[in-house]
Amino acid sequence: MTILVTGGAGYIGSHTCVELLDAGYDVVVVDNYYNSVPAVLDRVEKITGKTLRRYDCDIRDRDGLEKVFSENKIDAVIHFAGLKAVGESTKLPLLYYENNIWGSIVLFEVMEKAGCKKIVFSSSATVYGNNPIPYKEDMPTGDVSSPYGRTKHFIEKILGDVYEADNSWSISLLRYFNPIGAHESGLIGEDPNGIPNNLMPYISRVAIGKLEKLTVFGGDYDTPDGTCIRDYIHVVDLARAHLCAVADILKTTGIEAYNIGNGKGSSVLEIINAFEQASGIKLNYVIGDRRAGDLPAFYADPTKANTRLGWHAEYGVDKMCLDTWNFQRKNPDGIR
Ligand code: NAD
Ligand code: UFG
């Protein structure tokens, strides 16, 4: 079986390529390296001892994508390619709509033309907006606070309409919670350009001395320690969820959404504490103002993925912090 992985050189995509290759799938990657470097794919090959096919191609490039489908018999697609910075999306909404939504439409059209109608889509917990916690898949979605989040919601809806029009599609919408951690080898991990927006890469850059101090965004939330609560999930657990989803779409038709989270919330201060334990480093941090748009607390009810996909998260926050720090220490200047 051959799986096309769009955005396969990115953080979650690269970990998923490792799991796919280890499980015996052939892997074809399409990436324009907007937020990654080709060397990541060399490292995926080093970890697995296997090779993958790679195309330096933008998903908005219809001719380029058609070439990928004509040169490979693709059985299913895992679609990671997209822009993901929430703050940036509020400043550059058209770029986000064009890249994420238009890029996805071109991909779906090329898939349809090639007769490949099986896809796993990277969605996000952000689609739930202000629902009661824990989030469940049948809750209403779409009350979303950023253009980025709206691209996820709209693409879910587009895929819903695609399935309504043609029931031979098989579609899995994976709603990720907060992926952190890295591959145990320390060869691949999260390596954002510039100053990180997200908590864990910020923490690890403070720990390695590249940033001076972490600001905890708000200490006055209505949570046990006053800081926000999120459902952190090890990126390898998340990657493995894609294997379960691929196995499922290969044998069925339909459209299903799944929460991919641990089902447990951790506060920012708990994550800081876990990182300090794992690294042995005292983190320099201050409690600052709230960040606009942050919800006080959310976490998943992952029962549907547990029971229907047979997927379970294995790792806790200690392992997530250990592997993050291992990656950061081994790659102080990122992946080159
Ligand atoms: P990432 O930026 O590390 O990876 C995305 C990859 O897609 C990059 O390699 C980038 O170069 C590529 N890409 C972007 N636009 C492209 C285009 N037009 N054509 C070809 N390649 C393109 O991000 P990630 O953290 O690995 O996230 C993967 C997916 O999961 C994204 O769709 C993201 O929105 C979604 N997601 C991520 C998180 C998270 O916290 N990391 C949470 C929920 C959902
Ligand atoms: N935080 C800080 N300081 C920082 C960065 C983050 O205190 O420097 C806090 C935030 O306020 C939040 C928590 O750490 O309480 C986690 O923040 P992240 O930015 O790491 O993650 P978010 O929960 O805000 O959002 C992430 C992705 C979204 C995705 C969402 C759910 O960025 O794209 O998880 O999957 F939608």
Side-chain angles (χ1 to χ4, degrees), residues 28-71:
V28 178
V29 168
V30 163
D31 205 301
N32 65 357
Y33 306 113
Y34 180 86
N35 196 35
S36 56
V37 291
V40 170
L41 296 175
D42 301 336
R43 292 182 175 207
V44 167
E45 292 182 337
K46 189 169 175 194
I47 292 168
T48 58
K50 295 183 178 163
T51 54
L52 43 73
R53 289 195 81 170
R54 53 179 95 177
Y55 290 84
D56 180 348
C57 174
D58 193 297
I59 55 166
R60 292 164 292 181
D61 170 5
R62 187 182 301 271
D63 293 344
L65 273 189
E66 284 184 349
K67 182 166 179 278
V68 174
F69 277 86
S70 69
E71 291 181 355

Side-chain angles (χ1 to χ4, degrees), residues 17 28 31 42 48 70 101 104 112 120 123 128 130 165 207-208 252 260-261 282 285 299 301 304 306 314 320 325:
C17 288
V28 178
D31 205 301
D42 301 336
T48 58
S70 69
I101 298 184
S104 296
E112 190 166 51
V120 178
S123 190
Y128 288 109
N130 223 338
I208 200 88
T252 53
I260 308 297
K282 195 93 197 88
Y285 74 88
Y299 51 91
D301 177 342
K304 186 177 172 190
N306 298 161
E314 209 180 307
M320 300 178 209
W325 181 233

Side-chain angles (χ1 to χ4, degrees), residues 59-60 79 81-84 94-105 108 121 147-149 151-152 155:
I59 55 166
R60 292 164 292 181
H79 178 29
L83 304 180
K84 64 165 184 178
L94 295 176
L95 175 67
Y96 273 68
Y97 290 129
E98 208 259 337
N99 191 78
N100 293 7
I101 298 184
W102 178 238
S104 296
I105 290 172
F108 305 154
F121 172 60
Y148 161 74
T151 70
K152 295 295 173 193
I155 297 165

